[in-house]
Amino acid sequence: VDAPREPDLCALSETELTHAPAPQPAAPSAVQTGPAAASAAAGVEAKPASNKPAHAGLGVLAAAKKGGKGKKKSEKPDRLTAATADRHRLYEAAVQCVEAEIDFIDQTFRTIRGRDALLLREDFCGTGNTSCEWVKRRATNRAVGLDIDEPTLQWGRDNNIAALPEDRRGDVTLINRDVLTPGDATGADCILAMNFSYWLFQKRSEMIAYFKTVLESLGDEGVFFLDHYGGSESMAETTDVRKCRDHLGRKFSYEWVQHSFNPITGEMHCRIHFTFTDGTRIDDAFTYTWRLWTLPEIQEMLSEAGFKNVTVHWEGDELDDDGEPTGEGNGEFTPSTKGTADPAFISYITAER
């Protein structure tokens, strides 16, 4: 499942969407409700908010066009309410920006390997939104998604895969399978563990076992992609609210709640709520129980699992007209060995076979 990230990878509305400073993760808690569950697969996606918004402007929703003289005006969609809303649609609108994420994956793999990636495996895939975006990029691209929540997978087949051109639907396969036992889902150029979904593994031995499984599943030139959020605010018990619009332009608010954090074990409980303009709300649309892992820990475990060239990709600073940092991120992630002590940040990690 996914969780929130402070700087959303895409702003849904250039003028009305405010990015909250909280993370948006992707894996549901071990006792989660919804797309993602305990053990090894999760479902929906979200990422934490950081004080550095990753990408603004992507996914901007255009206002419905009005017909000209003599034509009927397009009908205004019904207002969203808790009774009519689809939590998966809301999640995809509020948390995900698959266009920006696939841009990073595609360009980074090309930089590392000098060629285009073809086969992508999305672990904890939920609705398979990222997998569908991958196959849209090139006619040769194929994707496999693994998750243990069958209702969420079926939603993805009925909505995201069904929305692809008919001749491309067979290029995405969503499988109800634990990521710890991927079976024949091997040989991938890229394997993704995004939206902090892999944080559902709270023990070092469990995380290393998962990383080793990924390593064995990659093709000869395969690259593992993960995301991460951190900073002092990642340990705070806070609530961040952001105004959003769904795929039809209807308004709603997204709440990312870091409900509790245990500094001794690193265990955190997070929740996603949605509220609507009529005053109704969906509480605990998605819940997560994770361990807050640090970047040094993740890098060490990846190396211990056998990966080579483990690299952190740090987000750059947005600059004002005078060339001074604004305190926000610029959405550009570059290989780095030194970051700044931001109260909230998002980064990517790559690890090569």
Side-chain angles (χ1 to χ4, degrees), residues 272-294:
I272 292 176
H273 311 312
F274 298 114
T275 60
F276 307 93
T277 57
D278 70 339
T280 60
R281 57 187 290 124
I282 300 175
D283 287 315
D284 292 342
F286 302 102
T287 63
Y288 311 87
T289 298
W290 296 335
R291 173 172 170 175
L292 180 63
W293 292 95
T294 66

Side-chain angles (χ1 to χ4, degrees), residues 23 57 159 182 185 223 236 242 244 321:
N159 292 273
V223 179
R242 183 160 42 79
C244 303
D321 293 339

Side-chain angles (χ1 to χ4, degrees), residues 148-217:
I148 59 174
D149 193 85
E150 179 57 31
T152 301
L153 292 170
Q154 191 57 50
W155 189 98
R157 297 182 192 108
D158 294 340
N159 292 273
N160 291 333
I161 293 181
L164 294 172
E166 188 172 357
D167 63 345
R168 299 305 311 281
R169 295 172 192 168
D171 292 329
V172 181
T173 304
L174 303 184
I175 305 173
N176 185 348
R177 190 176 295 169
D178 192 317
V179 298
L180 291 176
T181 54
D184 59 358
T186 59
D189 292 316
C190 304
I191 293 181
L192 317 184
M194 295 296 188
N195 299 310
F196 328 112
S197 51
Y198 61 103
W199 287 6
L200 60 83
F201 298 118
Q202 296 189 44
K203 295 181 179 179
R204 182 182 177 86
S205 58
E206 295 173 343
M207 187 68 81
I208 292 176
Y210 168 58
F211 287 166
K212 286 182 176 179
T213 298
V214 171
L215 183 63
E216 294 169 359
S217 297

Side-chain angles (χ1 to χ4, degrees), residues 91-162:
Y91 179 88
E92 292 183 351
V95 174
Q96 292 187 294
C97 187
V98 294
E99 298 89 349
E101 195 150 86
I102 290 301
D103 282 347
F104 172 79
I105 292 163
D106 208 18
Q107 294 165 10
T108 302
F109 184 90
R110 190 179 299 118
T111 298
I112 294 173
R113 297 306 189 199
R115 64 173 178 86
D116 288 335
L118 300 178
L119 177 60
L120 175 144
R121 192 181 90 190
E122 182 186 2
D123 285 356
F124 317 98
C125 69
T127 63
N129 196 18
T130 302
S131 292
C132 289
E133 177 62 26
W134 176 254
V135 303
K136 293 177 185 177
R137 295 305 176 95
R138 284 183 294 276
T140 53
N141 282 8
R142 294 175 296 121
V144 174
L146 303 183
D147 201 292
I148 59 174
D149 193 85
E150 179 57 31
T152 301
L153 292 170
Q154 191 57 50
W155 189 98
R157 297 182 192 108
D158 294 340
N159 292 273
N160 291 333
I161 293 181

